[in-house]
Amino acid sequence: MSVPLNAMRSYLVTTCNYGVDHTGRMLFEPLALHVPARPSFRKLSQKQTLIPLTPSPFSCYTSQSGNTRISLLPPSSGILRILKLVMENNDGVKRSQPFCIEDISICEGGIESDLIQWEDGSKSDYYIYRVLMESYKSEVHIIPEYMVYNSGKTHRLVVRQIGSEVLIEPGRMAPVKSHARLGLTI
């Protein structure tokens, strides 16, 4: 039996929640609450810590448009954090503060989105929001501080920042980072 060359397999995956990374730089990491085997007489919450649930973050898949990355996420009560690959520390990863999907604002993005804070309490240039798809199912979006859209028909748009330039083709959109609030030149 021969299979035609253009044959493609299809399969269906269901999930409670999924994440959409519009920056192309983030991963979701599941965390678990670790409670010591022998609780002391002190408050149990003082001894509780969060540890990674798996040795690596959730996988991500490129969307059909190629502009975003998709990750399958656990139920809304699961504890997560966001990882960003950086060159700033020995670990090579910057971690967000832990959160649950059910704690993220339900909105359509923009000013109502929640600011992502790093593990050390500093503010990031990224925001997170969720769209409720149906009962107990959410689409979680990570967005940059700025998105620039080139609405022109013929000319490319150049966004100049300190140390970099972003070229945006007509009819396309690109994420732009603010670089410590020093602004943009378009």
Side-chain angles (χ1 to χ4, degrees):
M1 179 170 141
S2 66
V3 178
L5 292 175
N6 61 353
M8 185 182 340
R9 288 187 180 189
S10 297
Y11 62 94
L12 177 66
V13 176
T14 61
T15 182
C16 294
N17 301 297
Y18 62 95
V20 182
D21 173 21
H22 295 274
T23 69
R25 300 182 183 119
M26 307 290 193
L27 294 172
F28 291 91
E29 180 180 44
L31 298 174
L33 192 59
H34 174 67
V35 180
R38 279 185 44 229
S40 67
F41 291 107
R42 290 187 240 164
K43 289 184 180 177
L44 188 60
S45 63
Q46 291 176 349
K47 292 282 190 178
Q48 294 173 341
T49 56
L50 292 172
I51 57 170
L53 194 58
T54 61
S56 59
F58 286 128
S59 298
C60 61
Y61 308 91
T62 304
S63 66
Q64 286 182 338
S65 66
N67 297 333
T68 58
R69 298 185 329 171
I70 310 293
S71 297
L72 304 179
L73 301 177
S76 297
S77 60
I79 303 169
L80 298 170
R81 70 176 161 198
I82 294 171
L83 305 179
K84 178 184 176 193
L85 301 176
V86 295
M87 302 302 269
E88 298 168 7
N89 56 30
N90 294 337
D91 197 8
V93 174
K94 198 165 192 176
R95 293 171 174 81
S96 75
Q97 291 183 352
F99 63 92
C100 292
I101 293 173
E102 61 192 16
D103 296 333
I104 301 170
S105 295
I106 298 173
C107 64
E108 293 295 324
I111 198 163
E112 296 173 336
S113 301
D114 296 324
L115 176 68
I116 295 172
Q117 290 194 333
W118 299 122
E119 194 172 41
D120 64 3
S122 63
K123 296 178 181 178
S124 74
D125 292 325
Y126 301 98
Y127 292 81
I128 192 167
Y129 69 94
R130 71 179 169 132
V131 177
L132 196 59
M133 304 308 287
E134 54 187 77
S135 294
Y136 306 105
K137 291 188 180 188
S138 294
E139 187 176 274
V140 177
H141 293 263
I142 299 174
I143 56 175
E145 185 174 14
Y146 298 108
M147 287 294 282
V148 178
Y149 175 68
N150 182 357
S151 62
K153 303 268 189 242
T154 56
H155 300 290
R156 292 185 288 185
L157 182 67
V158 178
V159 179
R160 289 192 175 92
Q161 300 174 287
I162 296 174
S164 69
E165 285 187 358
V166 177
L167 184 65
I168 306 171
E169 297 294 329
R172 302 288 294 180
M173 186 173 8
V176 179
K177 191 174 178 219
S178 68
H179 288 295
R181 314 263 187 255
L182 296 176
L184 307 170
T185 304
I186 301 175

